[in-house]
Amino acid sequence: MVCESARMTERSNDTVAILGCGTMGQAILGGALKAGVFDPSHVTVTGRRAERVQPVADRFGVTATTDNVAAVKASETIILCVKPQLAKQVLTAPGLAQALDGKLLVSICAGTRLSQLRSWVPGAYLVRAMPNTPSVIGAGMTVLSPGEGATDDAIARVQRIFDAVGRCRVLDEQYLDAVTALSGSGPAFACVIIEALADGGVMMGLPRDVAVELAAQSVLGAGRLVLETGTHPAALKDSVTTPAGCTIAGLLTMEDGRIRSTLARTIQEATLVAKGLGGPDEEPAS
Ligand SMILES: NC(=O)c1ccc[n+]([C@@H]2O[C@H](COP(=O)([O-])OP(=O)(O)OC[C@H]3O[C@@H](n4cnc5c(N)ncnc54)[C@H](OP(=O)(O)O)[C@@H]3O)[C@@H](O)[C@H]2O)c1
């Protein structure tokens, strides 16, 4: 099978299907439409129930259907955004694998490996992607792992989609479970930290809304400082730690609570769970 890469590159407005348009499907769709990467007239979104998917399509001005095969037939790039437990059921439904022949399938399903996807849809070009929810405001972090045979053109097309909704980088699939834990689940961990910092502010007399704003903007600002200056977080921390001051007093309290090992082990545990989400590899049919 030969990838039609020439056809892929000359198209500026790719036809796109999003299979399963829930939280992440909508985050990617909204971000890519806002950035002008998708033309709404070229996008089809699917769902199990018309009454759920039609309002989503109406909101974004795209086409809705409950027919995954029809959506795939109408599109060159297909983004699979169902829960990992449903990936096999969706991809092995009658006619789906044939409809995907020679097309680009981007799966964002956590824990679902390229080898599994390959066994379900052998004729598709595959890219695994691990985005996160801040994609909805253009502040996402996505890691791509291309499958064998995915052309540079195809990877560039996927990168364009995820660049439009935040940062995007390409890594080997062996890292994807750790990526799922760190940046896929990371926003939830960061929200707990923001909430806890705000609780401290409330305890010391700040109104709740003010405390949440201060905590969230501090976390956002610290993140941007790390990324935009390229300075190690420890050096940034040291630069604001005055001898005998309040920052070192707070830092030592954090260390008493073993915050570093707690956070590091959070990623370790989430990685182990991510690894199992796609289920076991299947024996090849004899
Ligand atoms: N949430 C995150 O932070 C995050 C981050 C990175 C990656 N991911 C990955 O993103 C994927 C989606 O997660 P999510 O949080 O967006 O889940 P979600 O909100 O539940 O969205 C999944 C969507 O798939 C639809 N669906 C179910 N069966 C379908 C079928 N047969 N055909 C078409 N659509 C179908 C669901 O419709 P109904 O509601 O009608 O069932 C729902 O709208 C998962 O694989 C997850 O691992 C999630």
Side-chain angles (χ1 to χ4, degrees):
M1 191 176 52
V2 175
C3 184
E4 297 169 86
S5 56
R7 188 151 55 103
M8 287 171 173
T9 37
E10 73 197 23
R11 194 196 315 276
S12 57
N13 272 316
D14 203 9
T15 44
V16 178
I18 298 180
L19 306 187
C21 206
T23 305
M24 284 311 299
Q26 290 177 48
I28 296 164
L29 176 62
L33 285 172
K34 199 167 158 198
V37 174
F38 291 168
D39 174 340
S41 69
H42 293 178
V43 178
T44 307
V45 295
T46 79
R48 274 188 314 141
R49 289 165 287 174
E51 67 273 19
R52 288 278 287 259
V53 72
Q54 191 60 54
V56 173
D58 292 344
R59 198 172 120 225
F60 291 105
V62 301
T63 303
T65 178
T66 54
D67 185 343
N68 287 330
V69 175
V72 171
K73 283 183 177 165
S75 310
E76 285 302 315
T77 299
I78 292 84
I79 309 178
L80 181 67
C81 299
V82 297
K83 291 286 188 197
Q85 298 81 354
L86 291 176
K88 180 181 180 185
Q89 185 189 315
V90 168
L91 292 179
T92 59
L96 210 288
Q98 293 82 346
L100 270 167
D101 252 354
K103 297 190 173 178
L104 175 61
L105 175 68
V106 182
S107 165
I108 71 162
C109 300
T112 308
R113 296 176 289 286
L114 288 166
S115 58
Q116 293 176 297
L117 296 166
R118 167 71 57 228
S119 71
W120 301 329
V121 288
Y125 298 98
L126 301 174
V127 176
R128 273 186 73 185
M130 183 43 57
N132 63 11
T133 47
S135 300
V136 77
I137 54 160
M141 180 72 233
T142 303
V143 172
L144 304 179
S145 296
E148 246 175 73
T151 62
D152 289 346
D153 282 343
I155 298 164
R157 273 164 57 202
V158 183
Q159 218 159 351
R160 244 182 96 228
I161 295 170
F162 289 101
D163 273 342
V165 295
R167 287 175 176 253
C168 180
R169 63 156 64 219
V170 177
L171 285 179
D172 190 89
E173 190 186 24
Q174 65 175 307
Y175 300 112
L176 226 52
D177 294 321
V179 166
T180 302
L182 184 47
S183 57
S185 303
F189 305 145
C191 282
V192 171
I193 293 168
I194 289 169
E195 195 190 3
L197 292 172
D199 277 347
V202 171
M203 180 65 201
M204 298 318 291
L206 289 175
R208 170 68 62 183
D209 59 337
V210 174
V212 170
E213 180 189 356
L214 269 54
Q217 179 65 16
S218 300
V219 170
L220 174 69
R224 285 189 57 189
L225 260 184
V226 171
L227 290 172
E228 292 175 24
T229 65
T231 308
H232 193 286
L236 290 169
K237 182 252 312 167
D238 284 355
S239 71
V240 293
T241 309
T242 311
C246 62
T247 306
I248 189 67
L251 286 167
L252 292 185
T253 307
M254 291 174 88
E255 300 293 359
D256 289 345
R258 301 173 64 185
I259 190 154
R260 283 172 196 265
S261 62
T262 300
L263 291 176
R265 294 233 181 269
T266 298
I267 303 305
Q268 182 182 20
E269 187 60 27
T271 302
L272 296 177
V273 174
K275 219 180 266 302
L277 285 178
D281 269 325
E282 286 158 40
E283 296 294 321
S286 53

